[in-house]
Amino acid sequence: MTEQPPPPFEPVDEDWQTALAIVAHPDDMEYGAAAAVARWTAQGKTVVYVMVTSGEAGIDGMDPEQCRAVREQEQIASAAIVGVDVVEFLGHPDGVIEYGLPLRRDIARAVRRHRPDIVITTNFRDTYGGVFPNQADHIAVGRATLDGVRDAGNRWVFRELVAEGHEPWDGVRQVWAAASPDGRHAVDTTEHFDAGVASLEAHRAYLDGLGEGPMSDAAGFLESMSRATGTRLGVRYASSFEVIPLR
């Protein structure tokens, strides 16, 4: 029996002005979503990055405190390449993020402060669509982002946030999870593919720390992934997202 090709992707809705990307680590946005961000900032949209950790456990040969400073600077430089001027770090411990109330509270606070139309996170499913397991931090942050966005709109959840001056915000229309195996939507990144590669390559210390392997080859990794996604959208390169509507 001939294997059926996967169904085509639908274009994401781009009728919005502000997005907040909440991910676990520096480099998470760059492995597939940064070119999309470059497209949106070129359209005049505002995108802000929030990193739950500073990625301090991500380089085996570098002490975490030294690594923290290096990876924060690499992320700030990386974000600037795709038009993101604001990058925040929440300071949760890399590698051992716990889903729970403190994380939900921090995410709700960030949503209330920035008041975005769209929230972007990364894949929070158990795998990447096969036997390759997802990383625990990604799962915790993605699931806490879904809940934190809802918490942000409820005055009676985390009441201390109102006391801090953060009024509720229920204006988030959708949460988008990049590179999810349940993704059914995508955006054409053909014109901004090179910016996405440059954004990932800005994580030089991290990529060098990976040694040999497909994920250390920024251009090759993104070429393969973006072409496969683009085929299902009918374009050369694309980034895919699982879209979770909230209103």
Side-chain angles (χ1 to χ4, degrees), residues 6 36-37 78 85 87 93 99 121 150 156 186 199 207-208 236 240:
V37 172
S78 170
D85 299 325
V87 181
Y99 174 91
T121 191
R150 287 188 288 257
W156 308 118
S199 187
L207 293 175
D208 289 346
R236 185 177 183 187
S240 68

Side-chain angles (χ1 to χ4, degrees), residues 123 125-135 215:
N123 176 29
R125 303 300 179 182
D126 289 340
T127 74
Y128 283 92
V131 297
F132 186 68
N134 199 353
Q135 201 259 5
M215 293 191 72

Side-chain angles (χ1 to χ4, degrees), residues 14 18 26 43 55 61-62 94 116 125 128 136 142 146 151 169 188 192 203 219 229 245:
E14 295 184 290
T18 59
Q43 294 172 347
M62 188 179 294
D94 184 18
R125 303 300 179 182
Y128 283 92
L146 281 176
D151 297 335
W169 175 248
D188 182 359
H192 303 279
H203 293 272
T229 303

Side-chain angles (χ1 to χ4, degrees), residues 174-194:
Q174 296 177 337
V175 174
W176 295 355
S180 168
D182 289 352
R184 301 292 181 269
H185 292 75
V187 60
D188 182 359
T189 59
T190 303
E191 294 184 9
H192 303 279
F193 176 76
D194 289 344

Side-chain angles (χ1 to χ4, degrees), residues 160-185:
E160 62 272 30
L161 296 182
V162 174
E164 294 173 9
H166 305 303
E167 289 294 320
W169 175 248
D170 65 353
V172 178
R173 289 155 35 193
Q174 296 177 337
V175 174
W176 295 355
S180 168
D182 289 352
R184 301 292 181 269
H185 292 75

Side-chain angles (χ1 to χ4, degrees), residues 2-30:
T2 303
E3 184 176 348
Q4 295 297 312
F9 284 121
E10 298 180 29
V12 298
D13 177 9
E14 295 184 290
D15 183 19
W16 51 271
Q17 286 301 312
T18 59
L20 182 64
I22 304 171
V23 297
H25 315 105
D27 80 68
D28 283 351
M29 286 296 292
E30 286 68 52

